[in-house]
Amino acid sequence: MNIIGKSHAKIILMGEHCVVYGKPALAVPISSVNLTAQLTKATSGQTIQCKYFIGDLSQAPADLLGIKRLIQSVLQSFHQQNTPFLLKINSSIPSERGMGSSAATAIAVTRALYQFFQKPLTHAKLLEVSNIEEKITHGNPSGIDTATASSNLPVRFIPGKPIEHLPINLKGDLIIADSGIKGRTDIAVNSVHEKYVHQPKLGKPAIDQLGVLARKAEYNLVHNQPQALGQAMNHAQKELALLGVSTPALDKLIQVARQHGAYGAKLTGSGLGGCVIALAPDNKAKNVAQAFLNQGAVNTYIEHFKTQGGVQ
Ligand code: PMV
């Protein structure tokens, strides 16, 4: 028996930071950056094999605690605590770059475990089980990462409301550049909060504007308006910079993307590091990716949107 659970990366297209204040965030699945969890029967041991660790599940390091607990919880619910297996996790998703690598791991491992034990898995159950890992790894996750890592459609998230899947109808390529610097979610969220509370004339309008732009972007995404979406991304970047979460290195990457034919570009996720994204016509995507690398990006990814249906 050779079982493979799959998942992919995500990025936040619009709405980072304002989502903390109840506004919408828009995340898109990145199917070209993906992950597999391969589960095979073994004669003894519960072995896990991934980039960070090879060994028995019981010896997994702290970084893998979320996945360990997820696996233990599923084994327990199926009364299979002692079943031997070999779990190989193969990922092309960089960690700590806002691309949802932990959520993608949780989704793929959950899918593999349910197939392995031949149990039916609803989408709601998939999210519930995967969030066992996310709660341990991220404390109080919104759920947007697991929702997007398990979907082939963009996702709109508003705190306290059910997650919505959006039909996509956009012609263009999304180019992602890894700045090589870890994102700093806790520091970035705290510093935006400082501005929101102590400089309300700056912080509040910026957050409100980001919310308006996320709504606009959703319309653009669904109605094939790549130029307007690019403009909304540029505008969002201005507001994020005002909030203090951009950096000179991110600014430079964003600038070169625009100079090389992108409709628009912005940071994605927490900022202070992590990734930037650019939207470009498909015949410009390679130029933009090369310009990112020339400007010091450590890696780039190109996601091609279809004009109809989901993300390829
Ligand atoms: O970098 P990511 O993908 O973890 O996104 C952080 C998004 C924030 O809005 C900055 C924080 C949050 O919890 O929503």
PDB file of all heavy atoms in Angstrom, residues 138-163:
ATOM      1  N   HIS A 138       0.918  27.807  15.582  1.00  0.00           N
ATOM      2  CA  HIS A 138       0.676  29.257  15.467  1.00  0.00           C
ATOM      3  C   HIS A 138      -0.168  29.854  16.587  1.00  0.00           C
ATOM      4  O   HIS A 138      -0.506  31.039  16.522  1.00  0.00           O
ATOM      5  CB  HIS A 138       0.001  29.575  14.127  1.00  0.00           C
ATOM      6  CG  HIS A 138       0.866  29.267  12.950  1.00  0.00           C
ATOM      7  ND1 HIS A 138       2.098  29.853  12.760  1.00  0.00           N
ATOM      8  CD2 HIS A 138       0.706  28.430  11.902  1.00  0.00           C
ATOM      9  CE1 HIS A 138       2.636  29.387  11.650  1.00  0.00           C
ATOM     10  NE2 HIS A 138       1.816  28.515  11.121  1.00  0.00           N
ATOM     11  N   GLY A 139      -0.550  29.068  17.564  1.00  0.00           N
ATOM     12  CA  GLY A 139      -1.292  29.634  18.698  1.00  0.00           C
ATOM     13  C   GLY A 139      -2.767  29.817  18.412  1.00  0.00           C
ATOM     14  O   GLY A 139      -3.582  29.026  18.841  1.00  0.00           O
ATOM     15  N   ASN A 140      -3.089  30.884  17.668  1.00  0.00           N
ATOM     16  CA  ASN A 140      -4.495  31.169  17.428  1.00  0.00           C
ATOM     17  C   ASN A 140      -4.709  31.429  15.934  1.00  0.00           C
ATOM     18  O   ASN A 140      -4.957  32.554  15.521  1.00  0.00           O
ATOM     19  CB  ASN A 140      -4.875  32.406  18.268  1.00  0.00           C
ATOM     20  CG  ASN A 140      -6.345  32.694  18.188  1.00  0.00           C
ATOM     21  OD1 ASN A 140      -7.139  31.826  17.818  1.00  0.00           O
ATOM     22  ND2 ASN A 140      -6.727  33.930  18.493  1.00  0.00           N
ATOM     23  N   PRO A 141      -4.631  30.375  15.132  1.00  0.00           N
ATOM     24  CA  PRO A 141      -4.671  30.589  13.676  1.00  0.00           C
ATOM     25  C   PRO A 141      -6.064  30.981  13.201  1.00  0.00           C
ATOM     26  O   PRO A 141      -7.062  30.556  13.784  1.00  0.00           O
ATOM     27  CB  PRO A 141      -4.301  29.219  13.118  1.00  0.00           C
ATOM     28  CG  PRO A 141      -4.777  28.263  14.150  1.00  0.00           C
ATOM     29  CD  PRO A 141      -4.637  28.948  15.469  1.00  0.00           C
ATOM     30  N   SER A 142      -6.104  31.785  12.135  1.00  0.00           N
ATOM     31  CA  SER A 142      -7.409  32.204  11.607  1.00  0.00           C
ATOM     32  C   SER A 142      -8.085  31.066  10.847  1.00  0.00           C
ATOM     33  O   SER A 142      -9.289  31.055  10.693  1.00  0.00           O
ATOM     34  CB  SER A 142      -7.210  33.382  10.658  1.00  0.00           C
ATOM     35  OG  SER A 142      -6.428  32.969   9.554  1.00  0.00           O
ATOM     36  N   GLY A 143      -7.286  30.127  10.352  1.00  0.00           N
ATOM     37  CA  GLY A 143      -7.854  29.043   9.537  1.00  0.00           C
ATOM     38  C   GLY A 143      -7.697  29.317   8.047  1.00  0.00           C
ATOM     39  O   GLY A 143      -7.982  28.452   7.220  1.00  0.00           O
ATOM     40  N   ILE A 144      -7.224  30.513   7.696  1.00  0.00           N
ATOM     41  CA  ILE A 144      -7.125  30.850   6.268  1.00  0.00           C
ATOM     42  C   ILE A 144      -6.065  29.976   5.572  1.00  0.00           C
ATOM     43  O   ILE A 144      -6.228  29.590   4.426  1.00  0.00           O
ATOM     44  CB  ILE A 144      -6.842  32.362   6.060  1.00  0.00           C
ATOM     45  CG1 ILE A 144      -7.105  32.763   4.599  1.00  0.00           C
ATOM     46  CG2 ILE A 144      -5.443  32.763   6.485  1.00  0.00           C
ATOM     47  CD1 ILE A 144      -7.115  34.257   4.352  1.00  0.00           C
ATOM     48  N   ASP A 145      -4.998  29.629   6.286  1.00  0.00           N
ATOM     49  CA  ASP A 145      -3.934  28.831   5.663  1.00  0.00           C
ATOM     50  C   ASP A 145      -4.422  27.419   5.315  1.00  0.00           C
ATOM     51  O   ASP A 145      -4.195  26.942   4.198  1.00  0.00           O
ATOM     52  CB  ASP A 145      -2.707  28.733   6.588  1.00  0.00           C
ATOM     53  CG  ASP A 145      -1.885  30.015   6.579  1.00  0.00           C
ATOM     54  OD1 ASP A 145      -2.391  31.048   6.112  1.00  0.00           O
ATOM     55  OD2 ASP A 145      -0.732  29.983   7.065  1.00  0.00           O
ATOM     56  N   THR A 146      -5.097  26.766   6.256  1.00  0.00           N
ATOM     57  CA  THR A 146      -5.565  25.401   5.971  1.00  0.00           C
ATOM     58  C   THR A 146      -6.671  25.442   4.911  1.00  0.00           C
ATOM     59  O   THR A 146      -6.732  24.573   4.042  1.00  0.00           O
ATOM     60  CB  THR A 146      -6.074  24.685   7.243  1.00  0.00           C
ATOM     61  OG1 THR A 146      -6.868  25.597   7.996  1.00  0.00           O
ATOM     62  CG2 THR A 146      -4.938  24.165   8.085  1.00  0.00           C
ATOM     63  N   ALA A 147      -7.521  26.481   4.973  1.00  0.00           N
ATOM     64  CA  ALA A 147      -8.601  26.587   3.976  1.00  0.00           C
ATOM     65  C   ALA A 147      -8.006  26.722   2.580  1.00  0.00           C
ATOM     66  O   ALA A 147      -8.509  26.128   1.622  1.00  0.00           O
ATOM     67  CB  ALA A 147      -9.503  27.770   4.283  1.00  0.00           C
ATOM     68  N   THR A 148      -6.924  27.493   2.443  1.00  0.00           N
ATOM     69  CA  THR A 148      -6.355  27.732   1.107  1.00  0.00           C
ATOM     70  C   THR A 148      -5.481  26.562   0.667  1.00  0.00           C
ATOM     71  O   THR A 148      -5.446  26.222  -0.520  1.00  0.00           O
ATOM     72  CB  THR A 148      -5.561  29.056   1.080  1.00  0.00           C
ATOM     73  OG1 THR A 148      -6.286  30.031   1.815  1.00  0.00           O
ATOM     74  CG2 THR A 148      -5.362  29.551  -0.332  1.00  0.00           C
ATOM     75  N   ALA A 149      -4.781  25.925   1.624  1.00  0.00           N
ATOM     76  CA  ALA A 149      -3.924  24.779   1.275  1.00  0.00           C
ATOM     77  C   ALA A 149      -4.750  23.580   0.829  1.00  0.00           C
ATOM     78  O   ALA A 149      -4.229  22.641   0.239  1.00  0.00           O
ATOM     79  CB  ALA A 149      -3.045  24.399   2.457  1.00  0.00           C
ATOM     80  N   SER A 150      -6.052  23.602   1.126  1.00  0.00           N
ATOM     81  CA  SER A 150      -6.903  22.466   0.756  1.00  0.00           C
ATOM     82  C   SER A 150      -7.884  22.835  -0.353  1.00  0.00           C
ATOM     83  O   SER A 150      -8.801  22.076  -0.633  1.00  0.00           O
ATOM     84  CB  SER A 150      -7.677  21.988   1.981  1.00  0.00           C
ATOM     85  OG  SER A 150      -8.483  23.045   2.480  1.00  0.00           O
ATOM     86  N   SER A 151      -7.690  24.004  -0.977  1.00  0.00           N
ATOM     87  CA  SER A 151      -8.649  24.466  -1.969  1.00  0.00           C
ATOM     88  C   SER A 151      -7.947  24.760  -3.290  1.00  0.00           C
ATOM     89  O   SER A 151      -6.792  25.187  -3.286  1.00  0.00           O
ATOM     90  CB  SER A 151      -9.298  25.758  -1.457  1.00  0.00           C
ATOM     91  OG  SER A 151     -10.027  26.402  -2.481  1.00  0.00           O
ATOM     92  N   ASN A 152      -8.643  24.574  -4.413  1.00  0.00           N
ATOM     93  CA  ASN A 152      -8.032  25.029  -5.662  1.00  0.00           C
ATOM     94  C   ASN A 152      -8.650  26.345  -6.126  1.00  0.00           C
ATOM     95  O   ASN A 152      -8.450  26.774  -7.242  1.00  0.00           O
ATOM     96  CB  ASN A 152      -8.064  23.951  -6.751  1.00  0.00           C
ATOM     97  CG  ASN A 152      -9.471  23.526  -7.061  1.00  0.00           C
ATOM     98  OD1 ASN A 152     -10.425  24.087  -6.530  1.00  0.00           O
ATOM     99  ND2 ASN A 152      -9.613  22.519  -7.907  1.00  0.00           N
ATOM    100  N   LEU A 153      -9.388  26.982  -5.231  1.00  0.00           N
ATOM    101  CA  LEU A 153      -9.960  28.297  -5.520  1.00  0.00           C
ATOM    102  C   LEU A 153      -9.463  29.304  -4.490  1.00  0.00           C
ATOM    103  O   LEU A 153      -9.142  28.933  -3.358  1.00  0.00           O
ATOM    104  CB  LEU A 153     -11.492  28.233  -5.421  1.00  0.00           C
ATOM    105  CG  LEU A 153     -12.224  27.449  -6.514  1.00  0.00           C
ATOM    106  CD1 LEU A 153     -13.702  27.372  -6.187  1.00  0.00           C
ATOM    107  CD2 LEU A 153     -12.009  28.100  -7.870  1.00  0.00           C
ATOM    108  N   PRO A 154      -9.433  30.597  -4.861  1.00  0.00           N
ATOM    109  CA  PRO A 154      -9.090  31.611  -3.866  1.00  0.00           C
ATOM    110  C   PRO A 154     -10.102  31.597  -2.712  1.00  0.00           C
ATOM    111  O   PRO A 154     -11.229  31.123  -2.865  1.00  0.00           O
ATOM    112  CB  PRO A 154      -9.202  32.929  -4.645  1.00  0.00           C
ATOM    113  CG  PRO A 154      -9.071  32.547  -6.071  1.00  0.00           C
ATOM    114  CD  PRO A 154      -9.643  31.178  -6.190  1.00  0.00           C
ATOM    115  N   VAL A 155      -9.668  32.142  -1.606  1.00  0.00           N
ATOM    116  CA  VAL A 155     -10.468  32.089  -0.391  1.00  0.00           C
ATOM    117  C   VAL A 155     -10.605  33.497   0.184  1.00  0.00           C
ATOM    118  O   VAL A 155      -9.629  34.238   0.242  1.00  0.00           O
ATOM    119  CB  VAL A 155      -9.739  31.152   0.612  1.00  0.00           C
ATOM    120  CG1 VAL A 155     -10.215  31.362   2.016  1.00  0.00           C
ATOM    121  CG2 VAL A 155      -9.922  29.696   0.200  1.00  0.00           C
ATOM    122  N   ARG A 156     -11.837  33.850   0.563  1.00  0.00           N
ATOM    123  CA  ARG A 156     -12.031  35.121   1.278  1.00  0.00           C
ATOM    124  C   ARG A 156     -12.291  34.807   2.749  1.00  0.00           C
ATOM    125  O   ARG A 156     -13.134  33.970   3.075  1.00  0.00           O
ATOM    126  CB  ARG A 156     -13.223  35.893   0.730  1.00  0.00           C
ATOM    127  CG  ARG A 156     -13.396  37.235   1.468  1.00  0.00           C
ATOM    128  CD  ARG A 156     -14.847  37.639   1.650  1.00  0.00           C
ATOM    129  NE  ARG A 156     -15.542  37.736   0.407  1.00  0.00           N
ATOM    130  CZ  ARG A 156     -16.761  37.203   0.214  1.00  0.00           C
ATOM    131  NH1 ARG A 156     -17.377  36.523   1.156  1.00  0.00           N
ATOM    132  NH2 ARG A 156     -17.348  37.335  -0.961  1.00  0.00           N
ATOM    133  N   PHE A 157     -11.537  35.484   3.582  1.00  0.00           N
ATOM    134  CA  PHE A 157     -11.682  35.244   5.009  1.00  0.00           C
ATOM    135  C   PHE A 157     -12.035  36.558   5.706  1.00  0.00           C
ATOM    136  O   PHE A 157     -11.381  37.575   5.526  1.00  0.00           O
ATOM    137  CB  PHE A 157     -10.361  34.707   5.571  1.00  0.00           C
ATOM    138  CG  PHE A 157     -10.386  34.556   7.058  1.00  0.00           C
ATOM    139  CD1 PHE A 157     -11.059  33.501   7.650  1.00  0.00           C
ATOM    140  CD2 PHE A 157      -9.768  35.490   7.872  1.00  0.00           C
ATOM    141  CE1 PHE A 157     -11.109  33.376   9.028  1.00  0.00           C
ATOM    142  CE2 PHE A 157      -9.795  35.371   9.251  1.00  0.00           C
ATOM    143  CZ  PHE A 157     -10.465  34.303   9.826  1.00  0.00           C
ATOM    144  N   ILE A 158     -13.112  36.526   6.493  1.00  0.00           N
ATOM    145  CA  ILE A 158     -13.453  37.660   7.364  1.00  0.00           C
ATOM    146  C   ILE A 158     -13.594  37.071   8.769  1.00  0.00           C
ATOM    147  O   ILE A 158     -14.329  36.094   8.954  1.00  0.00           O
ATOM    148  CB  ILE A 158     -14.785  38.330   6.938  1.00  0.00           C
ATOM    149  CG1 ILE A 158     -14.701  38.810   5.486  1.00  0.00           C
ATOM    150  CG2 ILE A 158     -15.145  39.495   7.866  1.00  0.00           C
ATOM    151  CD1 ILE A 158     -15.991  39.390   4.932  1.00  0.00           C
ATOM    152  N   PRO A 159     -12.863  37.636   9.753  1.00  0.00           N
ATOM    153  CA  PRO A 159     -12.933  37.052  11.094  1.00  0.00           C
ATOM    154  C   PRO A 159     -14.380  36.881  11.564  1.00  0.00           C
ATOM    155  O   PRO A 159     -15.199  37.777  11.389  1.00  0.00           O
ATOM    156  CB  PRO A 159     -12.192  38.073  11.957  1.00  0.00           C
ATOM    157  CG  PRO A 159     -11.283  38.779  11.013  1.00  0.00           C
ATOM    158  CD  PRO A 159     -11.991  38.813   9.693  1.00  0.00           C
ATOM    159  N   GLY A 160     -14.674  35.718  12.099  1.00  0.00           N
ATOM    160  CA  GLY A 160     -16.005  35.463  12.653  1.00  0.00           C
ATOM    161  C   GLY A 160     -17.033  35.028  11.611  1.00  0.00           C
ATOM    162  O   GLY A 160     -18.169  34.710  11.954  1.00  0.00           O
ATOM    163  N   LYS A 161     -16.642  35.026  10.341  1.00  0.00           N
ATOM    164  CA  LYS A 161     -17.599  34.602   9.303  1.00  0.00           C
ATOM    165  C   LYS A 161     -17.077  33.341   8.629  1.00  0.00           C
ATOM    166  O   LYS A 161     -15.871  33.088   8.629  1.00  0.00           O
ATOM    167  CB  LYS A 161     -17.755  35.703   8.249  1.00  0.00           C
ATOM    168  CG  LYS A 161     -18.265  37.004   8.821  1.00  0.00           C
ATOM    169  CD  LYS A 161     -19.108  37.751   7.809  1.00  0.00           C
ATOM    170  CE  LYS A 161     -19.801  38.914   8.492  1.00  0.00           C
ATOM    171  NZ  LYS A 161     -19.763  40.129   7.721  1.00  0.00           N
ATOM    172  N   PRO A 162     -17.987  32.566   8.021  1.00  0.00           N
ATOM    173  CA  PRO A 162     -17.504  31.353   7.338  1.00  0.00           C
ATOM    174  C   PRO A 162     -16.594  31.723   6.168  1.00  0.00           C
ATOM    175  O   PRO A 162     -16.801  32.747   5.514  1.00  0.00           O
ATOM    176  CB  PRO A 162     -18.783  30.683   6.823  1.00  0.00           C
ATOM    177  CG  PRO A 162     -19.923  31.432   7.414  1.00  0.00           C
ATOM    178  CD  PRO A 162     -19.439  32.736   7.943  1.00  0.00           C
ATOM    179  N   ILE A 163     -15.611  30.885   5.930  1.00  0.00           N
ATOM    180  CA  ILE A 163     -14.684  31.103   4.814  1.00  0.00           C
ATOM    181  C   ILE A 163     -15.424  30.885   3.489  1.00  0.00           C
ATOM    182  O   ILE A 163     -16.223  29.960   3.370  1.00  0.00           O
ATOM    183  CB  ILE A 163     -13.479  30.156   4.968  1.00  0.00           C
ATOM    184  CG1 ILE A 163     -12.529  30.756   6.016  1.00  0.00           C
ATOM    185  CG2 ILE A 163     -12.761  29.918   3.661  1.00  0.00           C
ATOM    186  CD1 ILE A 163     -11.448  29.861   6.495  1.00  0.00           C
TER     187      ILE A 163
END
